[in-house]
Amino acid sequence: MIEARGLTKRYGDKVAVDGLSFTVRPGVVTGFLGPNGAGKSTTMRMILGLDRPSAGSVTVNGRHYAELQAPLHEVGALLEARAVHTSRSAYNHLRALAATHGISRARVDEVIDLVGLTDVARKRAGGFSLGMGQRLGIATALLGDPPTVVLDEPVNGLDPEGIRWVRDLLKGLAAEGRTVFVSSHLMSEMALTAEHVIVVGRGRLIADTSVEEIIREASANAVLVRSPGAAQLRTALAGPDVTVSSTEADVLHVTGLSAAQIGDTARGMGIALHELTPERASLEEAFMTMTRDDVEYHGHLSAEAPVLEGERA
Amino acid sequence: MSAQTAPLSRFPRKRVTPARAARSEWIKLISLRSSWITFAASVAAVIGLGVLISYVTNNNWAHLDPQERLAFDPVGRSLAGINLAQLAIGVLGVLIVTGEYTTGMIRSSLMAVPRRLPVLAGKVVVFAAATFVLMLASAFIAFLLGQQALGTHGTSLGAPGALRAVIGVSLYLTVIAVFAVGLGFILRSTAGGIATLFGLLLVVPGLGRLLPTTWQPHVLPYLPSNAGAGVYSVHTEPGMLSTWTGFAVLCAWAVAALLVGALLLRRRDA
């Protein structure tokens, strides 16, 4: 269980995280979504006691990270930025961290085997590919067999097989009753992995809901209509809360009306319909819609570049 | 509630203690090739340079002028390698800290030991202990081989101040090691740490001699390398602090660097 209350981080006059409050519960994979620069990594660093909040607080299992007696047995973490000495072997890296908690060499060998690094465990970590580095990071996170796992962009740099492996691993950890908190800017990946999502933009909470709910909300009342009488139908559908757009001569995108209402209107006017499809947005689109609003909302308050283009580390 | 408190582990959970943090630092120290190379360089400097200088001195004895013969100090000759060794030890002391910052390892270290100070304490204890033992052995070897190389001009450990000077080599280098670790935590950058350390040990004493002569007695004896020189020398230089007062001043430098480093480690974001 991770609980953030009014969590805020300022760097000078720049606000990276702005009053975030959320709860990450055990037993499900919780995705932490947001464009680059939305404050995800900063939030995770505050959870892990690396950065000090400017205001508010965040606790893991009811305690501040710095107060944990055996943190590796409470929280396992993978940070987006590498956290490994490049000249040390993967084996010695894990052994050094294990030593802080008196964790045995047998467990070190076990996690190396678990992430599939046995063949390269004695080689310098600096020579690892991005994917191998991520695997070492995941091994580090699992070292203490923690009930809470915090992973920043774990699928970064992994091949499709590796991505699938991480996805299954995370679901497996959640199924064992652990708290799994995973950040990503890849919405499609989260749609497949997470059940619950916390969405942030510009350091502010945009949504804290289930993946299902987000898609349902974002795709509300959008209907694709294909009809030879599109122009005529368009006029008929017009109303105060209805927007109709068109990309092709015989295609309409209607929001503000249900498929049933459109179908009835068409029937009443004797217009043939060739297609009438409620559009179900992908999580990707849902996310774009949400963060676009957020960018616009902030647009007149700040002169910074839109979040979606900002590649701030 | 039941889900997250359910025991998931199949092995006993032990908490972080300063001893475990130190054990971790020991593994970190010996698992980097740079540690072995730098330690080897400092051993080579103390022994190799000491013996070489002793040998050359003996061979050129006939050419020394009377002034030089009068000031001749067989103990100092055999321990001359300390000047080079302090640089190697200092570099390693900075590196065991800044190497973690430049690679990002520090984040792993601090996540494992979130109270942070045991990381600093562990590094200091482990590195200081390794330096002391290694340099003590090296200084004894340098002294014994050096006196051999000096032939009839050599002396013995029984000579006044000789034993203290030999042990002093190790004491001085150990305090330099601690000082360097402190600088590493303050500056967090390898270049900055090494430049500051070398500047204080080598450059500032030279610059100090440009100060007005009335100021010099208030500055020069208190610089780390000047203050610490007495402990590994049989005779203290004129104008410098007495052996143990000087050594205490050197220790104060190291403690100050460590305290500032500890304060910053606690306060700063990692």
Side-chain angles (χ1 to χ4, degrees):
Chain A
M1 181 98 91
I2 301 167
E3 289 173 285
R5 293 291 167 265
L7 195 60
T8 301
K9 183 69 183 179
R10 287 183 214 97
Y11 296 105
D13 55 358
K14 208 170 88 181
V15 183
V17 176
D18 192 359
L20 273 190
S21 295
F22 59 81
T23 302
V24 183
R25 288 173 210 290
V28 293
V29 177
T30 302
F32 193 28
L33 298 186
N36 287 323
K40 302 188 299 293
S41 295
T42 306
T43 302
M44 287 188 155
R45 282 203 304 274
M46 286 191 283
I47 294 172
L48 300 165
L50 293 174
D51 283 12
R52 189 188 294 263
S54 309
S57 72
V58 60
T59 58
V60 184
N61 298 332
R63 307 181 69 176
H64 292 289
Y65 190 92
E67 293 163 3
L68 298 175
Q69 300 286 321
L72 296 186
H73 290 312
E74 301 262 6
V75 189
L78 163 75
L79 293 175
E80 190 181 13
R82 287 242 185 132
V84 179
H85 198 298
T86 43
S87 306
R88 197 173 280 126
S89 72
Y91 175 73
N92 282 324
H93 171 73
L94 290 167
R95 214 157 66 79
L97 293 174
T100 59
H101 288 58
I103 297 170
S104 70
R105 287 180 187 217
R107 176 61 186 171
V108 170
D109 289 332
E110 201 173 277
V111 290
I112 287 172
D113 185 52
L114 179 72
V115 300
L117 285 180
T118 310
D119 291 344
V120 294
R122 307 277 172 167
K123 298 212 167 89
R124 287 175 61 251
F128 280 14
S129 67
L130 193 53
M132 284 151 78
Q134 291 292 74
R135 284 170 185 267
L136 176 56
I138 291 169
T140 309
L142 298 179
L143 188 60
D145 195 21
T148 300
V149 186
V150 175
L151 307 164
D152 200 2
E153 305 271 359
V155 300
N156 238 359
L158 290 179
D159 52 21
E161 184 249 346
I163 291 174
R164 196 196 170 89
W165 172 74
V166 169
R167 194 184 295 154
D168 293 344
L169 178 77
L170 297 182
K171 286 180 174 174
L173 291 171
E176 288 168 20
R178 299 182 210 240
T179 305
V180 182
F181 193 40
V182 192
S183 83
S184 181
H185 62 281
L186 300 172
M187 305 314 128
S188 45
E189 180 52 38
M190 282 297 98
L192 291 168
T193 312
E195 278 180 52
H196 196 89
V197 283
I198 291 167
V199 185
V200 289
R202 294 217 167 240
R204 294 163 55 99
L205 188 71
I206 296 177
D208 181 353
T209 180
S210 70
V211 170
E212 268 302 295
E213 186 64 26
I214 276 198
I215 294 175
R216 194 159 53 230
E217 271 178 24
S219 52
N221 295 335
V223 182
L224 182 141
V225 185
R226 191 182 297 274
S227 165
Q232 202 186 346
L233 185 62
R234 185 174 190 157
T235 324
L237 292 174
D241 293 323
V242 181
T243 50
V244 183
S245 62
S246 180
T247 47
E248 292 167 55
D250 61 341
V251 175
L252 299 176
H253 292 274
V254 184
T255 56
L257 290 172
S258 70
Q261 288 171 307
I262 296 166
D264 289 347
T265 307
R267 181 171 166 275
M269 297 183 68
I271 299 171
L273 294 183
H274 293 171
E275 188 178 349
L276 183 64
T277 316
E279 287 186 319
R280 194 170 158 76
S282 67
L283 190 57
E284 192 90 38
E285 290 160 328
F287 168 77
M288 295 293 249
T289 312
M290 277 188 290
T291 49
R292 192 184 307 125
D293 289 352
D294 190 61
V295 171
E296 280 164 12
Y297 174 71
H298 282 88
H300 51 267
L301 293 177
S302 135
E304 279 179 69
V307 173
L308 289 169
E309 289 161 27
E311 280 280 348
R312 283 180 284 153
Chain B
M1 194 65 189
S2 59
Q4 98 236 10
T5 50
L8 294 152
S9 172
R10 292 143 297 138
F11 52 87
R13 313 206 146 194
K14 300 174 193 155
R15 49 199 212 106
V16 180
T17 61
R20 291 201 175 105
R23 165 108 188 106
S24 171
E25 292 304 327
W26 173 251
I27 294 170
K28 285 189 203 167
L29 180 66
I30 62 169
S31 61
L32 287 181
R33 201 192 303 166
S34 57
S35 309
W36 293 96
I37 292 171
T38 323
F39 271 137
S42 55
V43 169
V46 171
I47 300 175
L49 215 57
V51 174
L52 184 70
I53 289 173
S54 301
Y55 179 78
V56 169
T57 305
N58 192 39
N59 273 6
N60 289 278
W61 189 262
H63 306 293
L64 295 185
D65 63 48
Q67 200 76 16
E68 276 183 290
R69 290 187 194 184
L70 204 65
F72 174 68
D73 164 20
V75 176
R77 293 283 158 138
S78 64
L79 301 177
I82 190 172
N83 293 301
L84 194 57
Q86 67 173 345
L87 303 185
I89 291 293
V91 166
L92 186 53
V94 169
L95 217 52
I96 61 172
V97 181
T98 59
E100 291 212 20
Y101 279 99
T102 51
T103 58
M105 177 68 198
I106 192 70
R107 288 188 285 264
S108 292
S109 299
L110 297 182
M111 281 192 282
V113 186
R115 275 166 217 271
R116 299 191 175 186
L117 291 189
V119 173
L120 177 141
K123 279 192 194 301
V124 168
V125 167
V126 162
F127 184 52
T131 301
F132 184 78
V133 171
L134 213 52
M135 292 300 106
L136 189 63
S138 302
F140 270 106
I141 294 169
F143 179 84
L144 296 174
L145 293 181
Q147 300 313 315
Q148 288 281 316
L150 281 168
T152 52
H153 310 294
T155 183
S156 74
L157 266 182
L163 182 62
R164 197 254 306 136
V166 171
I167 297 170
V169 166
S170 182
L171 287 176
Y172 175 82
L173 291 174
T174 302
V175 181
I176 292 294
V178 174
F179 184 48
V181 171
L183 284 182
F185 274 107
I186 295 170
L187 294 159
R188 302 199 289 189
S189 110
T190 306
I194 291 174
T196 305
L197 182 74
F198 282 20
L200 276 169
L201 293 180
L202 304 176
V203 182
V204 176
L207 289 177
R209 297 192 193 284
L210 302 176
L211 287 172
T213 44
T214 48
W215 291 17
Q216 286 186 15
H218 303 294
V219 177
L220 290 182
Y222 300 96
L223 297 176
S225 47
N226 288 342
V231 80
Y232 60 83
S233 312
V234 173
H235 309 289
T236 47
E237 277 189 54
M240 292 299 158
L241 300 170
S242 69
T243 301
W244 296 112
T245 309
F247 186 66
V249 169
L250 176 66
C251 288
W253 278 90
V255 169
L258 220 48
L259 284 178
V260 174
L263 190 75
L264 292 173
L265 177 65
R266 287 281 297 194
R267 286 194 164 183
R268 287 197 284 218
D269 289 343

